[in-house]
Amino acid sequence: MSTASTRSATNDGGSLGSLPLLRSERIWNGADFTGVNISLAIATWAFLVGGSTALLVGFQQGVAAMVIGNAIGLGFMILASVVASQRYGVEQYTLLRPVFGLVGVGILVFTVILITEMGWSSLLAIMVGRAVTQVSNSTFGTDFGPESLMVTFFALAAIAVSWWILSRGPVTIGRFNKFIAPGLIVVTVFLMVFLVLNTSWDTLTGAVPLAPFEDERLNFALAVEFNVGVGVSWYPVMGSLARLTKTPKAALWPSYLGLFGATLIAQVVGMAAALTLGDSDPTVWMLPFGGPVLGAFILLFIAFANITSTSSIVYSTVLAIRQASGTLLSGVRWAWLCAAFFVLPAVLAFFPGFMYERFIVFVTLSGAFLAPMCGAIIADYFLLRRQRVVLEDLYRHRRESAYHFHGGVNWAGMAAVVVGAAFYLVIYNPVTLTALPVFGYITASFPAAIVGGIVYYVLARVLYVRRGVGGYATTPEQDVEGRA
């Protein structure tokens, strides 16, 4: 592939998603990407995760569940998304073509990925609306309820601002994050110090869960599973962001340590506040926790961080939509494509209680599909292809590409997702809350990812590798990763 054909880095999001980026075209160093990840990790949703964990377990078990869950989920997510995208400078959904086929990628993008990211976008926007109305109630004496039209109004305003930032591409997103990330660090550290100074250890460890089930083992397993789902839920966005980093080190360490450390601190604060104040919603406890003035400032600042988080996560998803649609949406302007994405989140903003009431269900159900997806991707890239991808074949059409599959679908990949998700739902059903006894020992996402990887490895070898289909027999001479 010629140098001229790969040059595509501009401040326009659509252009950045078209072709592989040269090393010289990548815009973020380690500090930049750390800022992006901290801005993603520390927003009101992270405090809500901590508060939701407090529904199930106490403080010590909650910390253990969050450490274990995030470590596992982020581990799978980074191996499946960040490594290959950074190495080749390719948008992560383009790199999925060898795993699921061109049509298969489209199916997953327009179902699992789109629903997941629209759900997160609506949740973040609604949290902005709830935060602003809480501050208004405290400061001006208004009486806006958690499901009032004013919550919807401010949620729609948050969506509009997110669209404005997003429509200007990742450079603009990065500029906002340079301001937001340091502020979030200061705010979170302050909340942690304030918590330590005003809450005794005995009070924290003695606080009981807010709404646990009768089975203590089930509570802990569900708390771990919930946090694994949180870690895996980063998958739809991280690869496409990591491709903008200049070196592997600038991508890997900020991805894991930035997300893990920042998320964990915010979650611990959220959980501790929920346990001591009796409410899992950070837009409710943050005002009495920090006081009417300081608490209001902190809540509004973190609410604004939700907007930059939304811009970052939607950037990758809109790129995925454009790539997965083939030529159908290639001519649509980036700003209009971004606006189309926000239509459903805007509709959901009129039902602000919907996502809140189903937050744990939403996260765990997303993990049921994302975990086996990650397992299949890891098996493909690390085991079968040995981290080698031929860039030209990613962009060739149909039979001209080594990654062509009959009907455009790699059935090994699709079967891995379906079987892994089914395995997950048999072990634990987040809708009915029924679980097999084994769930208390192994949870569901971790084994679902393993099952997905095994199914993919076996079926790919049987259906394609032995027949020389799918470009699995890549040689080092074919590897064109070492471009200037």
Side-chain angles (χ1 to χ4, degrees):
M1 181 173 292
S2 67
T3 301
S5 66
T6 61
R7 301 192 65 81
S8 57
T10 69
N11 194 32
D12 172 55
S15 295
L16 277 167
S18 57
L19 290 171
L21 298 179
L22 298 176
R23 300 286 183 191
S24 60
E25 295 173 321
R26 306 186 189 192
I27 60 177
W28 289 337
N29 57 29
D32 295 329
F33 199 43
T34 298
V36 170
N37 288 324
I38 290 175
S39 297
L40 285 170
I42 303 179
T44 46
W45 73 267
F47 297 102
L48 180 61
V49 170
S52 298
T53 303
L55 294 172
L56 302 166
V57 291
F59 184 75
Q60 290 170 299
Q61 281 194 320
V63 172
M66 289 187 291
V67 170
I68 295 170
N70 279 286
I72 294 173
L74 287 173
F76 277 123
M77 181 278 297
I78 289 171
L79 289 176
S81 62
V82 170
V83 177
S85 285
Q86 196 289 324
R87 181 179 184 183
Y88 289 96
V90 175
E91 189 268 338
Q92 70 189 76
Y93 296 98
T94 300
L95 279 170
L96 291 189
R97 292 172 183 176
V99 190
F100 301 107
L102 185 62
V103 175
V105 172
I107 293 172
L108 293 176
V109 165
F110 283 97
T111 53
V112 177
I113 302 300
L114 193 58
I115 292 172
T116 298
E117 296 312 283
M118 283 184 171
W120 277 108
S121 299
S122 65
L123 176 69
L124 291 170
I126 290 168
M127 294 190 79
V128 173
R130 292 175 72 127
V132 175
T133 53
Q134 287 287 348
V135 172
S136 174
N137 291 344
S138 174
T139 305
F140 302 109
T142 55
D143 188 26
F144 300 129
E147 298 187 36
S148 68
L149 283 178
M150 290 306 296
V151 172
T152 298
F153 173 80
F154 287 114
L156 293 175
I159 288 174
V161 177
S162 298
W163 169 83
W164 181 85
I165 296 173
L166 176 64
S167 66
R168 278 145 182 81
V171 174
T172 302
I173 295 173
R175 288 171 181 165
F176 272 95
N177 286 328
K178 285 182 179 180
F179 160 73
I180 291 294
L184 288 172
I185 294 174
V186 172
V187 165
T188 306
V189 170
F190 170 80
L191 289 174
M192 178 67 78
V193 172
F194 189 85
L195 177 70
V196 171
L197 294 177
N198 291 275
T199 306
S200 69
W201 179 252
D202 291 338
T203 300
L204 276 179
T205 56
V208 297
L210 302 182
F213 297 103
E214 293 182 3
D215 187 340
E216 185 175 344
R217 178 175 293 163
L218 175 63
N219 287 322
F220 181 72
L222 181 53
V224 172
E225 176 58 44
F226 173 53
N227 282 275
V228 173
V230 170
V232 175
S233 69
W234 291 111
Y235 172 78
V237 306
M238 288 306 298
S240 296
L241 294 175
R243 70 189 283 258
L244 299 169
T245 58
K246 297 177 179 179
T247 65
K249 187 181 294 186
L252 292 178
W253 289 113
S255 294
Y256 197 88
L257 297 180
L259 290 177
F260 182 80
T263 299
L264 188 62
I265 292 172
Q267 288 178 356
V268 168
V269 172
M271 178 178 63
L275 288 171
T276 54
L277 296 176
D279 199 305
S280 63
D281 184 357
T283 65
V284 173
W285 61 252
M286 202 166 283
L287 279 172
F289 186 75
V293 177
L294 189 58
F297 172 78
I298 291 173
L299 185 56
L300 289 176
F301 184 81
I302 296 178
F304 182 74
N306 277 13
I307 295 174
T308 59
S309 293
T310 301
S311 302
S312 296
I313 66 175
V314 176
Y315 166 72
S316 296
T317 307
V318 176
L319 277 182
I321 293 171
R322 170 167 282 180
Q323 296 296 318
S325 68
T327 59
L328 182 62
L329 299 177
S330 60
V332 179
R333 290 182 58 189
W334 176 255
W336 287 108
L337 201 57
C338 295
F341 172 89
F342 282 116
V343 170
L344 182 58
V347 172
L348 291 175
F350 286 90
F351 307 94
F354 180 81
M355 290 301 297
Y356 259 76
E357 295 168 1
R358 295 162 179 81
F359 181 54
I360 293 181
V361 174
F362 165 69
V363 172
T364 50
L365 196 58
S366 298
F369 294 91
L370 292 174
M373 271 186 65
C374 289
I377 295 163
I378 292 169
D380 176 88
Y381 183 67
F382 288 96
L383 300 181
L384 291 176
R385 302 192 191 279
R386 292 170 292 182
Q387 302 186 60
R388 298 189 185 107
V389 175
V390 180
L391 294 182
E392 287 91 338
D393 283 311
L394 289 176
Y395 299 93
R396 288 173 178 156
H397 297 289
R398 297 185 176 88
R399 299 185 184 277
E400 297 176 0
S401 172
Y403 305 132
H404 171 74
F405 299 90
H406 181 71
V409 177
N410 181 336
W411 291 107
M414 301 303 288
V417 175
V418 172
V419 173
F423 185 81
Y424 180 109
L425 295 174
V426 168
I427 294 179
Y428 170 66
N429 189 320
V431 177
T432 63
L433 298 178
T434 56
L436 297 181
V438 71
F439 175 74
Y441 299 94
I442 64 173
T443 68
S445 288
F446 182 79
I450 300 299
V451 168
I454 292 173
V455 169
Y456 182 86
Y457 184 85
V458 172
L459 288 182
R461 293 193 68 87
V462 172
L463 297 176
Y464 304 119
V465 176
R466 293 181 180 179
R467 296 165 47 207
V469 176
Y472 291 96
T474 304
T475 65
E477 289 75 18
Q478 291 174 300
D479 183 13
V480 294
E481 183 270 332
R483 296 173 295 120

